[in-house]
């Protein structure tokens, strides 16, 4: 009888261990898939040509959110797994620009899990959400507290970057520069460093310090930055060169971009910008030929819409050919109906 009871107890223990193992595997699989979908959305967002949250990207983040709620609902919000899941929910809502929801869940995290090793990261993302909701003083206090208490370099780098972003939006340029430079000193993340340099370039550009802006925009290329960020930095660099009336240098920069296959989808815009630089050099005839070249080679693109508009201007204001100008203005819509020029 004792032997039978002993065997039963042994069997029950085995079953309990098996259930724990299976439950643990289920958790890890669910959270692994949640993180995988989050990373998938983040990668697609970084590689996006427009930087916009597309339905496909949104789907990845919503999938991550659903999987995290599954973990919380199954294991309870007091389980050892719940803080990971709730943090990822808040970050996912932030990434799809649902900042009010992000703040709500991250605030919930801070209140519910004050001893979590993920607390500093949750406070960071909560502060970033507050910035997007224009609750700047609250965000600033949160970020400054983080910088005083956290020893994590990645947290510090993002906190400095977020403060730089906050001060820049408030046109407190000196404080913005100071925080972005601090970000660069501690950052070990290429994309974050690239974005910090891009923001520095924008600040210098806004203050008409074009030489410094060019230096900051050029530095973006030193990092493994998302394609759209690198493109924007180089085009802003060209704009700064134009402001300095360094037209030959601007044209050289644009032609260098045409030698980079990774910018192939942007070639129509780059070629059109060359035409605009030629106009600034008073080479109107060459500019007109350049715009016509774009219209022939890059049909139905954003660049060809811009080229049609620019060529229409020349026809109207330089050659006084109103009929041709009218046709070209009308052509803008047929080339790229989503163009702002329409």
């Amino acid at each position: 009888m004792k032997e039978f009871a002993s065997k039963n107890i042994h069997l029950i223990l085995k079953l309990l261990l098996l259930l724990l193992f299976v439950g643990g595997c289920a958790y890890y699989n669910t959270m692994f898939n949640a993180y995988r979908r989050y990373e998938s959305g983040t990668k697609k967002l970084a590689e996006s040509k427009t930087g916009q949250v597309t339905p496909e990207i949104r789907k990845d983040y919503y999938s991550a959110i659903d999987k995290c709620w599954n973990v919380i609902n199954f294991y309870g919000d007091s389980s050892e797994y719940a803080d990971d899941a709730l943090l990822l929910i808040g970050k996912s809502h932030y990434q799809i620009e649902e900042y009010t929801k992000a703040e709500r869940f991250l605030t919930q995290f801070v209140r519910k899990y004050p001893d979590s090793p993920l607390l500093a990261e949750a406070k960071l993302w909560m502060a970033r959400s507050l910035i997007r909701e224009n609750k700047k003083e609250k965000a600033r206090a949160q970020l400054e507290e983080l910088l005083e208490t956290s020893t994590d370099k990645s947290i510090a780098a993002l906190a400095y970057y977020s403060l730089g972003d906050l001060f820049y939006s408030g046109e407190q340029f000196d404080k913005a520069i100071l925080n972005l430079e601090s970000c660069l000193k501690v950052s070990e993340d290429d994309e974050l460093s690239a974005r910090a340099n891009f923001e520095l370039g924008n600040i210098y550009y806004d203050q008409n310090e074009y030489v410094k802006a060019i230096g900051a925009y050029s530095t973006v290329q030193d990092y493994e930055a998302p394609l759209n960020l690198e493109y924007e930095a180089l085009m802003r660099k060209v704009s700064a060169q134009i402001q300095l009336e360094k037209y030959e240098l601007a044209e050289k920069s644009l032609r260098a971009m045409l030698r980079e296959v990774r910018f192939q989808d942007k070639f129509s815009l780059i070629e059109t910008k060359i035409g605009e630089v030629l106009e600034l050099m008073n080479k109107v005839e060459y500019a007109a030929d350049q715009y016509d070249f774009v219209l022939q080679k890059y049909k139905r693109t954003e660049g060809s819409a811009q080229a049609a508009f620019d060529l229409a201007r020349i026809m109207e204001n330089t050659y006084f050919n109103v009929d041709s100008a009218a046709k070209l203005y009308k052509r803008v819509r047929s080339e790229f109906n989503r163009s702002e020029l329409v």
Side-chain angles (χ1 to χ4, degrees):
M1 191 71 176
K2 286 183 180 178
E3 185 180 349
F4 178 75
S6 175
K7 284 183 178 179
N8 274 338
I9 291 169
H10 188 61
L11 181 60
I12 289 168
L13 286 173
K14 276 188 173 182
L15 287 171
L16 285 172
L17 286 171
L18 180 61
L19 286 171
L20 286 170
F21 175 76
V22 171
C25 286
Y27 158 69
Y28 284 115
N29 284 337
T30 305
M31 281 306 299
F32 174 79
N33 287 326
Y35 279 115
R36 189 172 65 175
R37 294 308 294 266
Y38 178 88
E39 292 300 329
S40 174
T42 302
K43 183 180 179 183
K44 289 173 186 174
L45 187 57
E47 294 174 350
S48 169
K49 295 170 186 176
T50 63
Q52 300 297 312
V53 179
T54 64
E56 183 183 3
I57 292 171
R58 194 176 298 274
K59 183 179 178 181
D60 276 338
Y61 285 119
Y62 276 135
S63 177
I65 291 168
D66 288 342
K67 292 179 189 305
C68 287
W69 279 123
N70 287 340
V71 167
I72 292 172
N73 291 333
F74 185 81
Y75 291 94
D77 60 4
S78 298
S79 73
E80 62 179 300
Y81 316 128
D83 57 345
D84 302 71
L86 191 57
L87 175 59
L88 198 62
I89 288 168
K91 289 167 64 174
S92 296
H93 281 297
Y94 178 93
Q95 297 286 25
I96 54 181
E97 300 173 359
E98 295 179 348
Y99 303 120
T100 302
K101 286 184 179 180
E103 184 205 346
R104 183 167 75 248
F105 291 123
L106 292 164
T107 301
Q108 182 181 333
F109 182 105
V110 172
R111 290 173 181 165
K112 191 175 285 288
Y113 308 114
D115 299 320
S116 170
L118 302 171
L119 181 65
E121 187 178 355
K123 285 184 174 181
L124 172 67
W125 284 87
M126 184 170 76
R128 298 186 76 191
S129 301
L130 289 167
I131 291 173
R132 299 303 172 205
E133 293 181 280
N134 208 31
K135 299 176 182 178
K136 295 182 180 179
E137 287 306 312
K138 192 175 178 181
R140 177 181 173 180
Q142 182 92 291
L143 291 166
E144 289 175 346
E145 180 196 336
L146 268 176
L147 288 169
E148 289 176 3
T149 57
S150 177
T151 57
D152 188 318
K153 277 189 174 182
S154 63
I155 297 290
L158 257 173
Y160 279 126
Y161 177 84
S162 298
L163 277 171
D165 184 30
L166 189 154
F167 286 123
Y168 179 30
S169 66
E171 298 187 357
Q172 294 178 273
F173 297 127
D174 289 342
K175 289 182 178 180
I177 290 169
L178 184 64
N179 279 281
L180 289 169
E181 288 177 342
S182 295
C183 168
L184 289 168
K185 287 177 184 176
V186 298
S187 174
E188 297 176 348
D189 181 88
D190 266 25
E191 182 178 343
L192 182 62
S193 298
R195 291 190 183 282
N197 275 293
F198 183 71
E199 287 294 283
L200 280 171
N202 290 339
I203 293 168
Y204 290 132
Y205 190 99
D206 290 348
Q207 296 184 100
N208 303 325
E209 296 186 52
Y210 300 118
V211 173
K212 287 184 178 180
I214 289 168
Y217 289 136
S218 298
T219 307
V220 171
Q221 286 187 291
D222 294 344
Y223 303 96
E224 290 185 17
L227 184 63
N228 64 308
L229 178 65
E230 185 181 0
Y231 170 78
E232 289 298 331
L234 290 173
M235 291 300 278
R236 292 284 286 177
K237 172 184 171 182
V238 167
S239 295
Q241 290 169 333
I242 289 172
Q243 291 294 333
L244 292 170
E245 298 184 2
K246 305 281 188 181
Y247 302 130
E248 291 83 0
L249 200 56
E251 183 185 359
K252 184 178 178 181
S253 296
L254 290 164
R255 294 197 183 280
M257 291 176 73
L258 291 173
R259 292 194 291 272
E260 301 291 344
V261 177
R262 64 186 183 280
F263 295 135
Q264 189 169 4
D265 289 342
K266 301 289 188 181
F267 279 179
S268 67
L269 287 167
I270 297 167
E271 294 274 21
T272 301
K273 193 69 177 179
I274 290 173
E276 292 171 2
V277 172
L278 291 170
E279 276 195 80
L280 291 167
M281 295 166 71
N282 293 317
K283 298 180 178 179
V284 179
E285 187 176 343
Y286 289 105
D289 288 343
Q290 179 70 13
Y291 297 139
D292 188 61
F293 165 75
V294 174
L295 286 168
Q296 297 303 317
K297 185 171 182 179
Y298 301 101
K299 297 180 186 296
R300 306 293 186 269
T301 63
E302 190 175 358
S304 64
Q306 181 69 57
F309 183 86
D310 288 340
L311 186 55
R313 279 192 301 98
I314 291 176
M315 290 298 173
E316 180 183 8
N317 300 318
T318 302
Y319 297 125
F320 306 107
N321 188 334
V322 178
D323 290 339
S324 293
K327 289 177 183 177
L328 285 162
Y329 282 131
K330 188 176 180 180
R331 185 171 173 178
V332 172
R333 182 184 296 277
S334 62
E335 288 294 333
F336 193 77
N337 62 14
R338 298 193 305 276
S339 171
E340 293 179 3
L341 298 167
V342 171

